[in-house]
Amino acid sequence: MSGRQLTLMFIDATSIFLPVLSRAVAALTPEESAHIRVIARAKDDLFDQKRIAAISGMAAEADALVLMPHGGPESIPGAPDLAAAVKRGVVHVQAGGMSPDEIEMAKSLGHDFASEAYNLRHAYLKRGGVDNAHNLLVTMARQLGADLPEPEEPKPQPTEGVYHPAWQGDIKDRDGYLAWARARIPGGADAPVIGMWFAQYSWLNGDLAVFDALIAEIEAKGGVPLPVFHQRFRDADIGNMGVDQVVEFFFKKDGNTIIEVLLSPMSFSIGMASPDSVGLLSGLDVPVLQLILTYNPRAEWEETMQAVSPMDVSVNAAQPEFDGAIIGTVVGTRDETGVDPATGARLLRRMPVPDRCAHVVRWAMNWARLRRTPPAERKVAIIFHQYPPRNDRLGCASGLDSFESVKALLERMTADGYRVDHTYESGEAMAFQMLDRLTSDRRYLPPEQMAERAAAVIDGDSAARWHAERGPKMRREMDEKWGDVPGVTFCHDGKLLVGGIVNGNVFIGVQPPRARMEDEDVPDLQPDGQAIHDPYLPATHHYLGYYRWLRDDFGAHVIFHIGTHGSLEWLPGKSLGLSRECYPDAAIADLPHLYPYIINNPGEGTQAKRRSYCVILDHMIPPQTNAGKTDAFQKIEELLAAAYFARQEDPAKV
């Protein structure tokens, strides 16, 4: 039996286990601490060969090394060197059942793969939680000869359940929880239920700050949160619910969906990972809003245009898009919270971004409001593109007859009970009515006539108040480029002009231009004008004021942008995971957004989806054939042909 203190070393590729390990070390009794010393590091500590060599030197002095990869050997740089450095103890590689690469690492680098001792350690780590981590440390010390009492066997942990920081009831009692949650908020009996699900390991590890912030925001906005933790993949050894069972057990009752919206900070795609789950989310028949828990720290997200990591783009945006998720923004960053005095590890935690949490909850509540509002009371904004801002470009869209499409849309809305005061004989009739009103082309009208044609005006006080609510960087950029609010673009008598038509509960408008026509350095009037794609040109006071008017004054429940493509998704800001200083976010804000988009342009469509929080409504490329000649030209061609042959064969007939 060993009487000396044993050194147990852990290398965690994801850093997820390290806070749990720290708590487990803190839970050691004085007797256990006399036998056990724990050192822990993460993948980020192995950033070059010098560091790998230094940490390998630490491993050489250890009695046991536990490697916790996340995928293949690349997830722990220098893993072979680390394993080879251990001379007097045991090397354990925690192999997940979903990764063949991890199993191969466990076989090639580990010392006792699949042995009884290995399986016991593996079970403690797989079950997770502080108690199992504590018992793992004691078990490893005993396996190395320490004279310590035998700990408990690996303890099963809850694999799914309802979570609320104040809920003390049964985590499987959904109905009891909902009754309790409704009683917490004014008007809770009829409040919308906002579903949310997140990974079980976050619940098990106590890494819950982001979810606590979202729960608090939902309650503050008058919603009932229904947060559920679960494991994404079914594991027969653990006996957890599959994703389909989680949906049926927590988010449905008697086959009917009980939530209005599902907030999903879960990574990856359900359908891609499990073909049996394809269509699962569409069966819920509610918007699924994808929230991003970035791998980047707060400073990197805030200060860079890229904002999020390439891994985030893949697993937190691209893959959820295959499930039909609507892509939102960053609600949490991954930040260092200090060095653990017990293990020497740099501890990382998910930390909420408060204003982004508030933003996505407003967004979710607006989707719920849209769902709960009767069609006759819904207000709908339909926005045509006009770029360059000339009247011959009104309603421009790639591969789409935009005016005929909106005519058909209004007819369908009328049939479904929306309040539309008048429909149109043709799309052309709609176009001419819009040309009689204020459009984005202001070349031929004096300001007084523009004001007469406007559908509404935004007074100077409102424009100034809205501007004051924007981020400081945005205010500075707009003021430097366009002057003090309200600026001069579509401004008359100190008021901003709103172009369009109010038709019952429908507003039919035109997206504002990105710049002034008078600016020589912004060739907005040219066919190849660069303003629409300029990543540095700030939006005008009129542009952002127009969208704010749609939300606050007109009271839009939902907004359509008609066809490929407008300027909203090209405004300055981050490429994904937008902040309040990003112009697309400032414009569309928290409005539900629907965007008909041609299916052969996935790159720009993806940008629109991720930067304007929209639902892309794909349409096919229209069937095409040779246009031929008009009747008049056809008649002329026939006469010319007849004259030609007459001249050749019978000149007297010419």
Side-chain angles (χ1 to χ4, degrees):
M1 293 295 199
S2 172
R4 65 183 179 85
Q5 189 178 50
L6 299 163
T7 299
L8 311 180
M9 187 171 185
F10 290 76
I11 308 290
D12 181 7
T14 64
S15 298
I16 290 172
F17 180 67
L18 298 183
V20 178
L21 182 62
S22 175
R23 291 161 63 194
V25 173
L28 291 172
T29 67
E31 180 186 9
E32 292 165 347
S33 295
H35 290 82
I36 300 170
R37 172 176 175 254
V38 177
I39 299 173
R41 296 293 185 270
K43 175 184 178 180
D44 291 344
D45 295 307
L46 301 162
F47 53 82
D48 61 19
Q49 287 300 318
K50 185 176 180 179
R51 289 298 302 159
I52 291 172
I55 295 176
S56 294
M58 297 167 63
E61 300 299 320
D63 296 280
L65 173 65
V66 178
L67 299 178
M68 303 179 68
H70 186 65
E74 70 282 353
S75 65
I76 299 182
D81 294 337
L82 292 164
V86 179
K87 303 300 183 184
R88 64 170 181 253
V90 63
V91 175
H92 174 100
V93 180
Q94 183 68 8
M98 301 298 293
S99 173
D101 289 338
E102 290 178 9
I103 294 174
E104 182 56 37
M105 284 182 68
K107 290 179 178 178
S108 62
L109 301 182
H111 290 174
D112 58 353
F113 178 71
S115 68
E116 183 177 347
Y118 174 90
N119 291 339
L120 181 59
R121 298 192 301 267
H122 185 277
Y124 280 121
L125 286 168
K126 184 175 182 179
R127 296 291 186 184
V130 175
D131 289 344
N132 282 327
H134 169 249
N135 292 332
L136 167 69
L137 298 178
V138 176
T139 295
M140 291 181 67
R142 283 171 51 83
Q143 290 177 353
L144 292 166
D147 185 12
L148 289 171
E150 184 176 356
E152 294 179 347
E153 292 291 313
K155 183 187 301 183
Q157 302 288 341
T159 53
E160 55 276 320
V162 173
Y163 168 73
H164 188 291
W167 171 242
Q168 299 297 318
D170 183 351
I171 61 175
K172 293 291 184 70
D173 182 8
R174 179 203 61 198
D175 292 342
Y177 163 79
L178 284 175
W180 171 86
R182 288 188 183 280
R184 287 172 56 85
I185 60 172
D190 190 46
V193 178
I194 307 300
M196 177 168 62
W197 60 9
F198 60 93
Q200 180 246 13
Y201 65 77
S202 295
W203 177 83
L204 202 58
N205 298 350
D207 196 2
L208 297 165
V210 175
F211 311 115
D212 289 347
L214 291 167
I215 290 167
E217 283 291 342
I218 292 170
E219 291 183 328
K221 300 294 188 297
V224 177
L226 179 53
V228 174
F229 65 86
H230 71 107
Q231 293 188 354
R232 173 59 59 89
F233 303 108
R234 187 173 296 175
D235 189 324
D237 292 338
I238 293 177
N240 61 302
M241 288 184 180
V243 180
D244 55 339
Q245 294 171 306
V246 170
V247 167
E248 291 292 330
F249 188 88
F250 292 103
F251 298 140
K252 289 187 175 183
K253 185 173 184 178
D254 301 325
N256 298 314
T257 300
I258 63 172
I259 60 175
E260 306 276 354
V261 178
L262 177 60
L263 299 180
S264 179
M266 297 290 286
S267 301
F268 303 102
S269 161
I270 296 173
M272 291 176 67
S274 175
D276 294 341
S277 297
V278 172
L280 177 66
L281 295 181
S282 61
L284 270 173
D285 194 30
V286 299
V288 178
L289 308 184
Q290 180 69 24
L291 312 183
I292 298 174
L293 296 175
T294 178
Y295 292 96
N296 282 349
R298 175 75 171 267
E300 189 166 350
W301 169 73
E302 283 185 331
E303 296 168 9
T304 66
M305 296 293 284
Q306 185 64 31
V308 299
S309 70
M311 179 70 77
D312 288 321
V313 177
S314 173
V315 304
N316 291 322
Q319 293 193 45
E321 283 171 339
F322 283 95
D323 296 330
I326 308 169
I327 305 303
T329 188
V330 166
V331 294
T333 55
R334 199 159 184 242
D335 293 274
E336 187 174 324
T337 58
V339 176
D340 177 25
T343 66
R346 293 181 299 113
L347 300 182
L348 300 174
R349 305 286 287 186
R350 297 285 191 189
M351 302 302 293
V353 183
D355 86 278
R356 297 290 83 191
C357 290
H359 175 272
V360 300
V361 169
R362 290 194 304 269
W363 185 40
M365 293 295 287
N366 281 340
W367 273 105
R369 180 183 67 144
L370 174 63
R371 181 182 179 88
R372 292 160 69 93
T373 302
E377 299 174 20
R378 291 177 187 164
K379 289 200 167 184
V380 180
I382 298 174
I383 306 300
F384 287 101
H385 307 312
Q386 189 179 8
Y387 189 83
R390 305 185 314 241
N391 280 346
D392 62 309
R393 294 288 293 166
L394 181 64
C396 58
S398 176
L400 183 73
D401 188 331
S402 56
F403 289 109
E404 283 295 332
S405 297
V406 171
K407 170 185 175 292
L409 176 63
L410 292 175
E411 290 170 350
R412 173 63 183 270
M413 289 170 62
T414 302
D416 287 348
Y418 288 77
R419 184 189 156 200
V420 180
D421 287 351
H422 60 270
T423 54
Y424 298 89
E425 294 181 2
S426 65
E428 189 174 66
M430 184 190 306
F432 277 110
Q433 185 185 27
M434 295 194 70
L435 288 170
D436 286 339
R437 307 295 176 87
L438 180 64
T439 69
S440 290
D441 190 340
R442 60 180 197 153
R443 290 176 295 173
Y444 308 119
L445 291 175
E448 295 80 5
Q449 291 188 30
M450 289 169 54
E452 290 173 2
R453 294 188 177 201
V457 297
I458 301 167
D459 63 75
D461 289 342
S462 294
R465 185 178 71 256
W466 294 344
H467 189 54
E469 294 173 5
R470 295 170 189 139
K473 177 175 178 289
M474 185 177 294
R475 293 198 305 271
R476 183 177 65 254
E477 290 173 346
M478 293 174 68
D479 291 344
E480 288 177 354
K481 179 63 183 176
W482 308 117
D484 294 338
V485 64
V488 296
T489 307
F490 282 94
C491 182
H492 174 63
D493 197 21
K495 300 180 179 67
L496 295 173
L497 307 180
V498 177
I501 301 164
V502 177
N503 182 356
N505 280 344
V506 180
F507 175 78
I508 305 172
V510 183
Q511 190 171 58
R514 280 202 61 182
R516 297 185 305 179
M517 296 177 179
E518 297 88 341
D519 275 23
E520 294 181 359
D521 61 329
V522 183
D524 232 351
L525 282 176
Q526 304 305 315
D528 59 347
Q530 300 170 1
I532 194 170
H533 293 121
D534 191 325
Y536 303 106
L537 179 68
T540 64
H541 296 290
H542 173 254
Y543 193 108
L544 294 189
Y546 183 99
Y547 278 93
R548 184 68 179 263
W549 178 89
L550 288 175
R551 188 184 71 172
D552 287 9
D553 290 4
F554 174 69
H557 291 80
V558 62
I559 184 168
F560 283 84
H561 283 94
I562 304 300
T564 311
H565 64 73
S567 58
L568 174 66
E569 60 269 29
W570 298 96
L571 295 175
K574 302 180 187 304
S575 59
L576 177 67
L578 277 61
S579 75
R580 68 189 295 261
E581 295 282 9
C582 298
Y583 288 87
D585 181 274
I588 199 64
D590 43 36
L591 279 176
H593 179 198
L594 308 176
Y595 204 156
Y597 219 92
I598 196 165
I599 201 169
N600 72 339
N601 194 346
E604 292 182 331
T606 298
Q607 173 152 325
K609 182 174 176 62
R610 296 176 186 175
R611 300 192 80 238
S612 66
Y613 313 137
C614 71
V615 178
I616 291 290
L617 305 173
D618 286 319
H619 64 85
M620 295 297 292
I621 304 164
Q624 298 179 2
T625 185
N626 289 331
K629 304 175 184 67
T630 64
D631 291 344
F633 277 117
Q634 184 65 37
K635 186 173 182 179
I636 291 172
E637 184 179 60
E638 291 170 358
L639 289 171
L640 289 171
Y644 172 79
F645 287 115
R647 186 177 293 110
Q648 300 297 320
E649 300 174 7
D650 191 354
K653 289 183 177 181
V654 174

